[in-house]
Amino acid sequence: MAETTAAPPIVGTTDDEFDSIIEDANLPVLLVRLCLDGKLRREYEDVKTRITGRAAERDSARTVSAAAALNEGDTRLASKGPTVPADDEPDPEQAHLDELVERMRTKLMTFVVQAVSSKEYNRILEGNPPRKDPATGRIDQRDYQGYNSATFPAALVRASIAKPTMTDARWAKLDAALTDAQFDKLFQASAEVNRRDEDIPF
């Protein structure tokens, strides 16, 4: 007669463990940092672009200079441009860029984006249903994901921003100040904390 192997016992969370763990439960959080001073951002990007361009030119000149040193008899590789600056020579606009970075720090806004409960998430979802064609009853192609793409993102973002507190007045000001790209960052963070899979490392 073949031996039967006993099934392993089913181990679950005990009532005492549940009570202890649930007391410490908290919802996922992401931080989103934005600089809402558009003029300052533009100036920083312009200066950084110029510095990056000059760095690329220096790297190219050093490559030509190194090749010429290895091929002294080949006059085609002789440098005809300005003297290659030393590696440790700072860019003439680096100090200005550093100053802009410090100014941007004072304008930086950090949003704490925190998941809402499943109940609250579904309330927001149900409050922003996909639009339908009144003639055919078919869901608008823009809303194929199952919600009104014109209203749901803003509703989820506002509900998910834990800090600073989003009063009606603050939300109106923020909504008017955000670029489309900045809003997308907040929406992507809100979607991630609310809908990402649970990642348990064991």
Side-chain angles (χ1 to χ4, degrees):
M1 182 175 180
E3 294 184 5
T4 58
T5 303
I10 298 174
V11 178
T13 300
T14 67
D15 292 345
D16 288 341
E17 289 171 334
F18 174 86
D19 291 336
S20 174
I21 293 171
I22 204 69
E23 287 298 321
D24 295 327
N26 50 76
L27 295 164
V29 169
L30 284 176
L31 299 181
V32 177
R33 294 181 174 88
L34 299 175
C35 178
L36 301 183
D37 189 326
K39 291 181 180 179
L40 186 57
R41 265 198 340 267
R42 179 73 261 175
E43 186 178 0
Y44 167 81
E45 290 164 2
D46 288 345
V47 174
K48 185 176 180 182
T49 297
R50 292 196 295 270
I51 290 176
T52 302
R54 284 191 289 268
E57 291 174 359
R58 288 196 298 271
D59 288 343
S60 178
R62 289 192 184 102
T63 300
V64 171
S65 179
L70 292 173
N71 299 273
E72 295 180 359
D74 191 343
T75 57
R76 292 174 302 171
L77 294 173
S79 176
K80 295 184 173 105
T83 304
V84 179
D87 289 342
D88 59 352
E89 184 178 325
D91 186 274
E93 287 192 282
Q94 186 60 52
H96 183 36
L97 186 70
D98 294 341
E99 181 216 346
L100 291 172
V101 169
E102 291 306 312
R103 286 170 58 192
M104 287 178 71
R105 290 186 198 282
T106 67
K107 299 289 185 177
L108 194 68
M109 190 173 292
T110 301
F111 296 90
V112 178
V113 178
Q114 185 170 36
V116 297
S117 68
S118 175
K119 182 177 180 180
E120 175 65 7
Y121 181 86
N122 282 285
R123 185 192 69 77
I124 297 171
L125 199 60
E126 291 170 3
N128 298 273
R131 292 161 287 187
K132 294 183 178 180
D133 187 315
T136 65
R138 292 180 179 175
I139 292 178
D140 190 308
Q141 291 184 352
R142 296 170 295 181
D143 301 341
Y144 70 93
Q145 291 180 308
Y147 53 74
N148 186 321
S149 60
T151 60
F152 173 77
L156 183 64
V157 167
R158 178 175 179 178
S160 300
I161 295 178
K163 292 181 182 179
T165 304
M166 282 295 107
T167 62
D168 288 345
R170 283 179 177 169
W171 174 252
K173 290 179 180 178
L174 178 62
D175 193 31
L178 291 172
T179 66
D180 195 50
Q182 290 170 336
F183 178 83
D184 277 349
K185 285 186 178 180
L186 288 171
F187 178 53
Q188 288 168 9
S190 300
E192 183 175 349
V193 294
N194 281 287
R195 297 295 297 166
R196 70 182 172 191
D197 290 338
E198 183 77 9
D199 183 13
I200 299 176
F202 50 82

